[in-house]
Amino acid sequence: MYALILETESFQFLLDPALLWKPPRVRVRRGYLSTEVWLDKADISFMKASKFSVRDQARILGLVRENFDELLMSWSALKEDARHGRLERNALIE
């Protein structure tokens, strides 16, 4: 299960509630392809090799930069909800 926090340009930006206790990251998905990006303002980068095209990878990193504050705030809010057992307030998808 993932929390959908942003949907733009056919990309879904998701957070995995099980990974909230690790450094901030976001899963990006479009169709059957997905990748994870670190939410580190000093080094926004892919966690591992991505199967997205080079063009899509550049766009994904651009979208993360454009929406960085919103993504990080969503990560913090979801972590707070998880601490207090309120995950049902979030849009959880498979």
Side-chain angles (χ1 to χ4, degrees):
M1 297 295 269
Y2 295 96
L4 177 65
I5 57 170
L6 177 66
E7 196 165 14
T8 185
E9 297 183 28
S10 75
F11 294 106
Q12 293 179 324
F13 291 78
L14 308 156
L15 296 175
D16 184 345
L19 299 177
L20 292 170
W21 315 113
K22 298 188 178 228
R25 69 202 59 204
V26 65
R27 176 173 291 278
V28 182
R29 183 168 72 180
R30 184 175 69 196
Y32 64 90
L33 293 175
S34 70
T35 190
E36 286 188 302
V37 178
W38 291 113
L39 291 179
D40 180 347
K41 191 103 174 174
D43 182 25
I44 295 171
S45 60
F46 293 101
M47 292 179 60
K48 54 187 170 188
S50 171
K51 293 185 179 180
F52 281 99
S53 69
V54 172
R55 181 178 176 199
D56 283 343
Q57 288 180 46
R59 189 61 196 134
I60 289 167
L61 293 178
L63 288 168
V64 170
R65 285 184 189 95
E66 290 171 25
N67 297 284
F68 183 82
D69 291 337
E70 178 184 344
L71 294 170
L72 195 57
M73 284 180 17
S74 295
W75 183 85
S76 295
L78 187 65
K79 186 172 183 176
E80 190 65 23
D81 283 349
R83 273 191 189 134
H84 294 97
R86 299 183 304 227
L87 281 177
E88 69 281 350
R89 297 185 335 167
N90 298 275
L92 296 176
I93 62 173
E94 288 186 43

